[in-house]
Amino acid sequence: MDELKTLWDTFFNADSMRQALPDMLMTGLPNTLILSAISGLIGTFFGMLLAVAGIARTRWLRWPARVYTDIFRGLPAVVTILLIGVGLAPLGLQIWGPNPYPLGILALSLIAAAYIGEIFRSGIQSVDAGQFEASRALGFSYPAAMLLVIIPQGIRRVLPALVNQFIALVKDSSLVYFLGLLASQRELFRIGQDSAANTGNESALVLAGLLYLVLTVPLTHFVNYIDQRLRHGRRPMTSPAEESPLLLPSEGNR
């Protein structure tokens, strides 16, 4: 019984959670959202460029896009963050001072672009070739056909995968702590880790994990909702008369 009480106090101590909660809500949560949102937007933009380059007719666009994708998908995220955050730190120090956020956002964006580019590429290539041929027959140029017909359909098909990638980006934002953060720059994981190191209690780290779940679980269900809508579409609106069974005339009324 004492062992269970000790275990509970180690991971679910209410006082430790209450002490760490204000910093997590006022500092950690906004920083996590800033890192994830900005990296997601930049990664989506460059991911689309990679996708278009990856299916381009010229190999001078196609090969660099494939090499980039292979490199940044093959490297562990923490290695990419350290290489960029530490390697470019002297340059960053001259431009914006001792702020690791821009380099952390850059690293996360480069990682996200590689994955999002592959998501977009698969979505674009899943569109039937007849759509492109029909667009060309109507007089669309190659860029116009891709931009107005093929790419919008491809994006619609991969929306669930895009949201899943954003969920992964929210979790990967915790790796920015390797670059060293000021007290006002700490994200959820770093605040929980610092509190656990100072108090010898893991409850704050568990609280950080719960807040990550608050961010990611609704997005997961949102993905499932989007996927269901894309698969089955909106249920048609029917009038009461249409819902009633068809009444066939009796033999006597024929």
Side-chain angles (χ1 to χ4, degrees), residues 16-129:
S16 297
M17 289 185 175
R18 192 179 304 112
Q19 184 178 358
L21 185 60
D23 281 342
M24 289 193 177
L25 293 180
M26 300 300 295
T27 302
L29 185 59
N31 286 333
T32 296
L33 291 176
I34 289 172
L35 286 169
S36 305
I38 297 178
S39 302
L41 290 174
I42 298 175
T44 300
F45 175 76
F46 285 105
M48 177 57 71
L49 295 181
L50 281 174
V52 174
I55 60 176
R57 295 174 176 176
T58 171
R59 61 182 179 180
W60 302 111
L61 289 175
R62 190 170 62 251
W63 286 3
R66 298 291 174 84
V67 171
Y68 175 95
T69 301
D70 289 341
I71 291 175
F72 282 95
R73 291 183 70 192
L75 288 175
V78 65
V79 173
T80 302
I81 290 173
L82 285 175
L83 286 175
I84 294 175
V86 177
L88 299 181
L91 179 62
L93 190 62
Q94 296 177 3
I95 299 176
W96 51 70
N99 184 359
Y101 257 36
L103 292 177
I105 290 173
L106 174 61
L108 290 173
S109 300
L110 293 176
I111 297 169
Y115 286 94
I116 293 175
E118 281 297 284
I119 292 172
F120 279 144
R121 185 174 68 87
S122 64
I124 293 171
Q125 290 183 326
S126 69
V127 178
D128 188 82

